[in-house]
């Protein structure tokens, strides 16, 4: 079975526009399409402002609940869907800062307001969402030890030295485990692209 080709940036943008229009018209399934297409980008925005994954998730939930209630307010002549949703997420995170709902670790409100978004463009993230899902699927196929070390190193920011110390193994051993795990991960990803 051949893999579905990835949508182009224009196709992804148009699909998101269509989902926004469907949601505004009351199509409940459109919210799931919007969520799948935007969650990575919007979570990144809320996390950068709030500095805490749990707080960022709460803010993101607020974004989608409010989107459900206000989808008809989106005007495609004024902004792209992802630009509008990004501003919405940013504002929701800043609102949480202003109302004092956030624990320590967040940036001050005055610093969050002008915070630039230096992440990849939303269109690139929309296309990369499928790749991210495949990466997590391939990660799940690795043994638990290797999977845990790779996740800790690449998603949680642990250094190889920290991982080696935590596992009570020499640094070279940890590097070898991760290197072999990454080789298996790459092989899985290449196989999925070829199918």
């Amino acid at each position: 079975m051949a893999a579905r080709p990835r949508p182009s940036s224009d196709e992804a943008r148009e699909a998101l526009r269509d989902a926004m229009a469907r949601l505004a018209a009351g199509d409940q399934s459109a919210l799931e399409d919007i969520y799948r297409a935007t969650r990575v980008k919007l979570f990144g925005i809320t996390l950068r402002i709030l500095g805490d994954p749990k707080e960022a998730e709460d803010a993101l939930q607020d974004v989608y609940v409010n989107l459900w209630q206000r989808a008809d307010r989106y005007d495609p002549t004024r902004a792209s869907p992802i630009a509008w949703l990004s501003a919405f997420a940013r504002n929701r995170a800043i609102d949480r800062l202003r109302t004092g709902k956030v624990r320590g670790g967040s940036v001050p409100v005055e610093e969050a307001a002008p915070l630039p978004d230096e992440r990849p463009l939303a269109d690139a993230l929309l296309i990369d969402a499928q790749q991210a899902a495949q990466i997590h699927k391939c990660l799940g196929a690795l043994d638990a030890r290797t999977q845990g070390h790779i996740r800790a190193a690449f998603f949680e920011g642990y250094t190889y030295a920290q991982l080696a110390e935590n596992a009570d193994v020499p640094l070279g051993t940890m590097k070898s485990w991760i290197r072999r795990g990454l080789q298996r991960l790459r092989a899985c990803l290449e196989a999925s692209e070829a199918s």
Side-chain angles (χ1 to χ4, degrees):
M1 182 173 151
R4 286 188 326 192
R6 289 195 189 102
S8 69
S9 295
D10 291 337
E11 290 169 334
R13 193 178 304 116
E14 193 53 43
L16 185 55
R17 256 192 213 106
D18 176 63
M20 291 289 287
R22 288 186 297 120
L23 183 61
D27 179 355
Q28 294 180 359
S29 68
L31 185 59
E32 184 178 345
D33 295 338
I34 294 166
Y35 174 78
R36 276 197 318 262
T38 62
R39 70 182 185 269
V40 174
K41 171 77 171 177
L42 302 186
F43 179 74
I45 291 169
T46 59
L47 180 60
R48 198 167 51 257
I49 292 171
L50 297 171
D52 177 86
K54 176 70 175 115
E55 295 293 344
E57 288 171 8
D58 290 347
L60 192 58
Q61 181 177 349
D62 289 347
V63 168
Y64 290 111
V65 167
N66 280 285
L67 175 60
W68 172 249
Q69 298 166 344
R70 300 178 180 183
D72 59 334
R73 294 186 183 178
Y74 169 65
D75 181 358
T77 63
R78 299 189 71 199
S80 71
I82 196 65
W84 188 75
L85 290 167
S86 295
F88 199 16
R90 180 183 157 279
N91 292 342
R92 182 60 52 193
I94 291 172
D95 287 347
R96 290 182 74 80
L97 289 176
R98 286 187 179 135
T99 59
K101 291 183 180 178
V102 180
R103 297 183 297 269
S106 60
V107 298
V109 172
E110 15 340 303
E111 289 179 31
L115 192 64
D117 186 1
E118 297 171 3
R119 303 258 170 153
L121 293 175
D123 295 341
L125 290 174
L126 292 174
I127 292 168
D128 289 345
Q130 282 183 325
Q131 278 183 321
Q134 189 60 41
I135 289 170
H136 287 286
K137 180 180 175 186
C138 287
L139 263 174
L142 298 174
D143 63 272
R145 181 190 71 190
T146 303
Q147 183 183 146
H149 293 317
I150 289 175
R151 286 184 187 276
F154 293 95
F155 298 124
E156 298 170 25
Y158 284 87
T159 65
Y160 288 1
Q162 290 170 322
L163 292 172
E165 184 178 325
N166 291 344
D168 197 27
V169 297
L171 178 59
T173 301
M174 180 57 65
K175 287 181 177 181
S176 294
W177 287 351
I178 292 177
R179 184 178 59 251
R180 285 192 301 266
L182 290 174
Q183 288 169 342
R184 290 194 305 269
L185 181 63
R186 182 175 51 198
C188 176
L189 292 170
E190 287 171 355
S192 70
E193 286 179 8
S195 63

